[in-house]
Amino acid sequence: MAKAAGRLAILSKAGTPIAGVRTTKVAWEGQSIDVTDKDSNGILEVLSLAAGQSVTITVDGVYTSPVLRDVALDTTVSKLLTDLTFKFSDALAAKDTIGGNFWFGKYEEGNPYDDATDFSCEFTSSGTWTFN
């Protein structure tokens, strides 16, 4: 497996990279459909079709702009972000970009007395995403 520099991974909104990001994490989650019955002899059986799937993108970084804070805390602004894209750091992969609509579900901001203000946030897919 090829090695890649994490700093090459980029999270963007409408083609513009989100400023201040240091760490990005991508997680896929799928829920199975349990069809276990008395004939299963106590062994779990699931369908090959998923009950649901989601992608979650988590970022941590150094605070450089109030844009994410403003979206998170302004009750009049939609938290469903369209055209969010994540480009993996491995540019050699045939498929290296996830895109789609994502729910902005969490924002945290830290203010240590002896270090830079930092932030973290989480985006969860809404509907089908692309993987190109």
Side-chain angles (χ1 to χ4, degrees):
M1 178 179 267
K3 297 178 182 175
R7 68 177 174 264
L8 299 177
I10 299 172
L11 181 63
S12 301
K13 167 73 170 106
T16 302
I18 295 178
V21 173
R22 282 188 171 170
T23 305
T24 54
K25 294 179 185 174
V26 176
W28 170 87
E29 182 178 353
Q31 298 83 32
S32 62
I33 298 174
D34 184 349
V35 293
T36 308
D37 59 21
K38 290 181 181 181
D39 297 328
S40 302
N41 294 318
I43 305 297
L44 176 69
E45 293 184 51
V46 297
L47 292 179
S48 61
L49 179 69
Q53 299 181 57
S54 63
V55 170
T56 300
I57 301 170
T58 305
V59 298
D60 300 300
V62 176
Y63 177 87
T64 61
S65 166
V67 172
L68 291 174
R69 179 202 299 157
D70 291 350
V71 172
L73 299 178
D74 188 338
T75 60
T76 65
V77 174
S78 174
K79 307 308 183 251
L80 184 63
L81 304 181
T82 58
D83 62 8
L84 202 67
T85 57
F86 177 79
K87 185 165 182 65
F88 287 93
S89 60
D90 181 5
L92 301 176
K95 294 182 175 184
D96 66 355
T97 305
I98 296 172
N101 298 333
F102 286 78
W103 177 255
F104 184 5
K106 184 176 183 180
Y107 178 82
E108 294 180 351
E109 189 172 303
N111 299 287
Y113 79 95
D114 61 349
D115 206 352
T117 297
D118 58 15
F119 73 93
S120 64
C121 51
E122 184 174 280
F123 306 94
T124 303
S125 60
S126 173
T128 303
W129 58 88
T130 59
F131 181 46
N132 303 317

